């Protein structure tokens, strides 16, 4: 004990141990990971005060340049890319893709390709495969050639299931060319390959409606501008709130022309403070844009009409996207909502609904099949939910719609079944020599059926629907993973369909991160370094911080926080005496 107390660091007056020798390769890799995860510049390793802190912690530190730091990051990127390639090669199902183009602050164009799949553990994953420079022309042919090159580089050209893109005309050409190139390896010859971004479609629908009612919102928009125009008016507005007795931290918000859902938020807030604004009009002679009773009534109708669009936008714009089964009921609810308002007593509302319904009907056929099949593969919905929805929309065409969806599912299931049978036949050919020549396929097919002769799809559809209340938080993909022994190839088909992203939100999220990596302070980054930073960050952390990007008010605060967090953690871990 006496010997221990003389050498123990925690003993008062004891002599501290000499700093241990630092493994520079490990240290450099840790710094490189910190640069990626905390969005630090490569010049971080050359900061004078940082070098002084490292020297104080351990004099044996050997410093390196920003170019060496960039090399270290790229080496990590290449290593992680190999790991991800190996994971994609062994996943049991297929891969769904999203892609989009982005122009950076430096006017350079980038193309983003993201992969969505269910891994071997039955967990839904989203990974950025590429974020590379893509100079003009941005034609459909050029995009198709670039995507084909990327798919070949990743070795997944034979595992593609769907491609989700927005409604740009170049994307229509691109998907047509790419489908022809991949046709022999696509399910059902690529019939389900092209998926339109429903978020973009919703935006088109609402924008058409907002063009009609732009004049009806003018007074409310002018009201918000007036109140937020000076600190004196805001204080007067707050005094009116106190007089009315409204206690809330919420305030008026002004809409943004490029974000239609901000119009909904502006209306809902203004309606919430209608009495406060009336009081403001009485005490402030300069406030002359207070809406009339008719205009307030119209604003409430518009707000009520936009609410379901705002809800589904919130659902599909999250940092992690839900499985495809949740969308059918949401899109159906919007159709019903439009139908409920098409005979409104307000002429402006009728015109708005008419334009929105026309746009809705234009695109409904493009994505209804895949949404319907995803809903059927939810054991809480199945065809019962579709029958209910189609009956509400149009009882005369309900049966026809149900038959159409069932035929599409049988067709798709047949493709999966043939693939499974072919794999089983090739496996049994080497393991079962007693099967007569030519009967391998039959026995493989027969082994996939149960004793009653029913296919897994028939078995699944005949089982009762699960209670939505009891299984409200059910993980549908986990359900199919746990029942793979019962449903066999249907389980694989379900996981692939449920992993389809019906929006390009993942690519948009990547662009949000890209704007932080390639900003006006780091505009000289090479495209290869941009890709290494962004992809590696995504592979390490995913999209879990995407939702916070738009909330942060200061880019500098984010970087300072990441800077000091990284520095102190590294010092504490490696260099304390």
């Amino acid at each position: 004990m006496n010997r221990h107390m003389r050498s123990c660091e925690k003993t008062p007056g004891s002599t501290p141990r000499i700093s241990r020798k630092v493994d520079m390769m490990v240290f450099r890799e840790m710094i490189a990971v910190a640069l990626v995860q905390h969005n630090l510049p490569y010049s971080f390793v050359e900061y004078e005060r940082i070098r002084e802190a490292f020297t104080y912690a351990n004099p044996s530190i050997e410093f390196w340049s920003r170019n060496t730091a960039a090399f270290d990051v790229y080496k990590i990127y290449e290593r992680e890319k190999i790991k991800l390639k190996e994971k994609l090669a062994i996943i049991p199902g297929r891969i769904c893709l999203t892609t989009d183009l982005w122009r950076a602050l430096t006017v350079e164009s980038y193309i983003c390709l993201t992969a969505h799949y269910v891994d071997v553990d039955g967990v839904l994953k989203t990974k950025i495969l590429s974020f590379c420079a893509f100079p003009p022309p941005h034609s459909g042919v050029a995009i198709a050639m670039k995507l084909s090159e990327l798919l070949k580089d990743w070795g997944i050209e034979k595992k593609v299931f769907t491609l989700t893109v927005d409604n740009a005309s170049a994307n229509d050409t691109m998907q047509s060319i790419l489908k022809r190139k991949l046709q022999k390896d696509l399910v059902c010859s690529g019939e389900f390959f092209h998926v339109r971004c429903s978020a973009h479609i919703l935006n088109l629908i609402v924008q058409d409606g907002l063009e009609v009612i732009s004049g009806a919102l003018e007074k409310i928009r002018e009201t918000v501008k007036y109140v937020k125009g000076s600190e004196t008016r805001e204080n007067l507005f707050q005094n009116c709130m106190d007089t009315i007795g409204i206690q809330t931290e919420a305030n008026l918000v002004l809409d943004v022309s490029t974000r239609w859902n901000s119009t909904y938020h502006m209306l809902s807030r203004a309606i919430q403070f209608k009495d406060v604004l009336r009081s403001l009009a009485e005490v402030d002679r300069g406030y002359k844009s207070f809406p009339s009773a008719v205009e307030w009534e119209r604003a409430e109708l518009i707000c009520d009409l936009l609410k379901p669009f705002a809800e589904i936008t919130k659902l599909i714009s999250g940092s992690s996207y839900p499985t495809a089964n949740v969308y059918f009921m949401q899109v159906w609810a919007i159709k019903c909502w439009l139908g409920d308002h098409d005979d409104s007593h307000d002429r402006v509302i009728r015109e708005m609904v008419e334009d929105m319904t026309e746009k809705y009907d234009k695109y409904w056929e493009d994505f209804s099949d895949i949404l319907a099949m995803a809903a059927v593969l939810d054991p809480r919905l199945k065809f019962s939910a579709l029958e209910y929805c189609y009956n509400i929309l149009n009882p005369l065409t309900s049966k026809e719609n149900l038959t159409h969806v069932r035929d599409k599912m049988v067709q798709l299931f047949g493709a999966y079944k043939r693939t499974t049978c072919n794999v089983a036949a090739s496996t049994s050919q080497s393991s079962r020599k007693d099967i007569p020549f030519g009967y391998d396929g039959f026995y493989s097919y027969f082994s996939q059926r149960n004793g009653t002769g029913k296919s897994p799809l028939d078995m699944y559809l005949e089982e009762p629907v699960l209670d939505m209340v009891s299984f409200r938080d059910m993980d549908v993909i986990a359900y199919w993973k746990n029942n793979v022994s019962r449903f066999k190839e249907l389980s694989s088909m379900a996981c692939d369909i449920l992993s389809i992203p019906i929006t390009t939100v993942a690519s948009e999220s990547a662009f949000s991160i890209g704007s932080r990596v390639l900003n006006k302070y780091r505009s000289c980054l090479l495209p290869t370094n941009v890709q290494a930073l962004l992809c590696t960050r995504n592979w390490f952390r995913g999209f879990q911080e995407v939702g916070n990007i738009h909330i942060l008010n200061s880019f500098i605060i984010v970087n300072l926080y990441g800077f000091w967090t990284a520095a102190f953690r590294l010092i504490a871990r490696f260099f304390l005496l």
Side-chain angles (χ1 to χ4, degrees):
M1 179 62 71
N2 287 333
R3 286 195 303 271
H4 171 73
M5 292 183 65
R6 284 194 297 271
S7 61
C8 181
E9 294 180 350
K10 297 183 179 180
T11 303
S14 63
T15 302
R17 294 178 304 192
I18 300 175
S19 301
R20 65 182 176 84
K21 180 72 175 178
V22 175
D23 187 330
M24 285 305 301
M25 296 307 295
V26 174
F27 177 49
R28 278 173 49 183
E29 181 167 339
M30 292 293 295
I31 290 292
V33 172
L35 296 179
V36 172
Q37 290 199 0
H38 298 288
N39 200 26
L40 300 172
Y42 290 129
S43 58
F44 169 84
V45 299
E46 297 179 349
Y47 289 168
E48 180 182 355
R49 294 299 183 183
I50 291 299
R51 289 190 169 186
E52 288 181 3
F54 287 163
T55 301
Y56 172 78
N58 195 312
S60 67
I61 295 293
E62 300 173 7
F63 298 109
W64 61 100
S65 68
R66 67 182 71 188
N67 292 331
T68 304
F71 172 78
D72 291 341
V73 169
Y74 196 80
K75 187 167 62 174
I76 294 174
Y77 161 74
E78 289 186 322
R79 184 187 66 201
E80 295 300 318
K81 182 178 180 180
I82 293 174
K83 290 182 180 179
L84 184 56
K85 272 187 177 182
E86 293 173 349
K87 291 179 180 178
L88 293 176
I90 62 173
I91 60 172
R94 288 183 168 264
I95 299 172
C96 302
L97 304 171
T98 59
T99 186
D100 206 349
L101 301 180
W102 176 64
R103 193 178 74 172
L105 182 70
T106 56
V107 195
E108 290 179 313
S109 298
Y110 286 80
I111 186 170
C112 178
L113 179 66
T114 59
H116 310 257
Y117 60 94
V118 177
D119 64 10
V120 292
D121 298 320
V123 179
L124 187 60
K125 297 287 187 180
T126 300
K127 300 292 183 182
I128 298 176
L129 298 186
S130 179
F131 196 93
C132 57
F134 185 59
H138 298 153
S139 63
V141 176
I143 299 173
M145 294 301 102
K146 185 62 176 180
L147 290 180
S148 180
E149 175 188 329
L150 293 175
L151 294 178
K152 187 175 182 180
D153 176 51
W154 279 90
I156 59 173
E157 63 271 22
K158 294 184 178 181
K159 299 177 73 72
V160 175
F161 184 36
T162 63
L163 175 66
T164 303
V165 291
D166 62 28
N167 297 299
S169 57
N171 285 332
D172 290 339
T173 305
M174 175 271 293
Q175 68 84 23
S176 179
I177 296 172
L178 195 59
K179 183 165 65 175
R180 285 198 299 270
K181 289 178 68 69
L182 303 174
Q183 191 166 18
K184 64 179 182 179
D185 297 312
L186 293 175
V187 179
C188 296
S189 299
E191 181 176 348
F192 306 99
F193 175 68
H194 184 203
V195 179
R196 293 187 182 274
C197 174
S198 55
H200 190 229
I201 293 172
L202 287 174
N203 181 60
L204 293 176
I205 293 172
V206 178
Q207 290 294 353
D208 275 15
L210 292 181
E211 287 182 9
V212 176
I213 62 169
S214 57
L217 301 175
E218 197 58 36
K219 279 195 175 181
I220 291 180
R221 189 174 288 115
E222 290 300 320
T223 291
V224 178
K225 288 180 181 179
Y226 178 82
V227 173
K228 300 182 76 67
S230 71
E231 186 178 358
T232 302
R233 296 170 192 164
E234 288 189 341
N235 291 335
L236 187 57
F237 179 79
Q238 186 64 44
N239 292 335
C240 292
M241 284 179 60
D242 296 336
T243 302
I244 299 297
I246 297 179
Q247 301 293 330
T248 178
E249 295 182 0
N251 207 333
L252 295 174
V253 291
L254 186 64
D255 63 340
V256 181
S257 59
T258 56
R259 293 177 58 199
W260 72 263
N261 54 335
S262 64
T263 303
Y264 166 76
H265 294 302
M266 179 187 72
L267 284 174
S268 61
R269 287 289 181 85
I271 292 169
Q272 180 182 349
F273 295 115
K274 180 170 65 173
D275 294 335
V276 178
L277 292 172
R278 181 180 291 108
S279 176
L280 179 66
E282 294 173 354
V283 299
D284 186 355
R285 294 183 179 275
Y287 174 40
K288 301 183 182 300
S289 54
F290 181 72
S292 64
V294 174
E295 290 168 330
W296 277 119
E297 182 182 359
R298 178 173 294 159
E300 290 175 354
L301 289 173
I302 295 172
C303 187
D304 189 40
L305 183 62
L306 294 179
K307 184 176 181 179
F309 290 91
E311 292 295 329
I312 193 171
T313 300
K314 181 180 178 181
L315 174 68
I316 64 182
S317 300
S319 59
S320 59
Y321 74 100
T323 48
N325 56 297
V326 304
Y327 291 108
F328 183 83
M329 300 296 287
Q330 300 290 332
V331 176
W332 167 80
I334 286 178
K335 177 66 173 177
C336 293
W337 206 255
L338 292 174
D340 292 341
H341 290 79
D342 61 1
D343 58 348
S344 174
H345 65 276
D346 191 296
R347 177 185 56 81
V348 175
I349 298 296
R350 288 198 305 272
E351 293 178 5
M352 176 184 179
V353 171
E354 182 179 350
D355 283 14
M356 294 172 74
T357 302
E358 181 181 353
K359 186 73 71 172
Y360 184 100
D361 293 338
K362 176 182 177 182
Y363 289 107
W364 168 251
E365 297 298 331
D366 290 332
F367 60 86
S368 59
D369 287 349
I370 205 69
L371 293 183
M373 286 191 285
V376 172
L377 292 170
D378 187 333
R380 301 163 298 178
L381 300 176
K382 297 190 179 180
F383 272 104
S384 300
L386 266 63
E387 183 179 1
Y388 166 76
C389 293
Y390 286 142
N391 275 324
I392 295 295
L393 291 178
N394 190 344
L396 298 177
T397 61
S398 174
K399 189 174 181 179
E400 179 184 347
N401 290 332
L402 288 172
T403 302
H404 173 75
V405 175
R406 185 180 290 271
D407 291 343
K408 291 294 183 181
M409 287 198 69
V410 171
Q411 177 189 356
L412 185 58
F413 177 68
Y416 273 83
K417 188 163 56 177
R418 284 191 297 274
T419 302
T420 305
C421 290
N422 291 338
V423 172
S426 61
T427 304
S428 63
Q429 202 167 24
S430 58
S431 60
R432 294 194 60 182
K433 303 295 184 180
D434 55 328
I435 298 178
F437 176 76
Y439 287 85
D440 293 345
F442 167 72
Y443 278 101
S444 298
Y445 170 77
F446 184 77
S447 65
Q448 297 295 316
R449 305 177 71 90
N450 64 351
T452 62
K454 294 180 180 179
S455 70
L457 179 59
D458 294 331
M459 291 170 52
Y460 168 72
L461 294 177
E462 288 178 1
E463 290 183 356
V465 176
L466 298 181
D467 181 59
M468 179 64 74
V469 177
S470 302
F471 295 92
R472 180 177 181 179
D473 299 324
M474 179 185 195
D475 185 339
V476 182
I477 290 182
Y479 167 86
W480 285 104
K481 196 69 179 177
N482 295 334
N483 288 274
V484 65
S485 59
R486 289 201 303 132
F487 298 125
K488 300 179 175 65
E489 64 272 7
L490 180 63
S491 176
S492 177
M493 169 181 149
C495 289
D496 288 348
I497 290 180
L498 292 171
S499 63
I500 294 175
I502 68 164
T503 72
T504 58
V505 168
S507 296
E508 297 293 338
S509 300
F511 300 152
S512 297
I513 301 172
S515 64
R516 296 177 62 189
V517 172
L518 195 63
N519 55 65
K520 63 181 180 180
Y521 302 107
R522 303 173 70 183
S523 58
C524 294
L525 279 177
L526 295 174
T528 53
N529 289 335
V530 172
Q531 176 168 249
L533 286 169
L534 198 142
C535 290
T536 308
R537 182 183 188 276
N538 173 257
W539 299 340
F540 281 155
R541 306 184 65 170
F543 287 104
Q544 60 262 43
E545 292 198 3
V546 170
N548 295 328
I549 290 175
H550 304 293
I551 301 174
L552 299 174
N553 294 321
S554 173
F555 175 79
I556 298 175
I557 293 176
V558 176
N559 277 305
L560 286 177
Y561 175 79
F563 170 86
W564 288 114
T565 302
F568 286 132
R569 284 180 178 175
L570 288 169
I571 291 173
R573 181 166 182 176
F574 289 101
F575 315 120
L576 289 179
L577 297 177

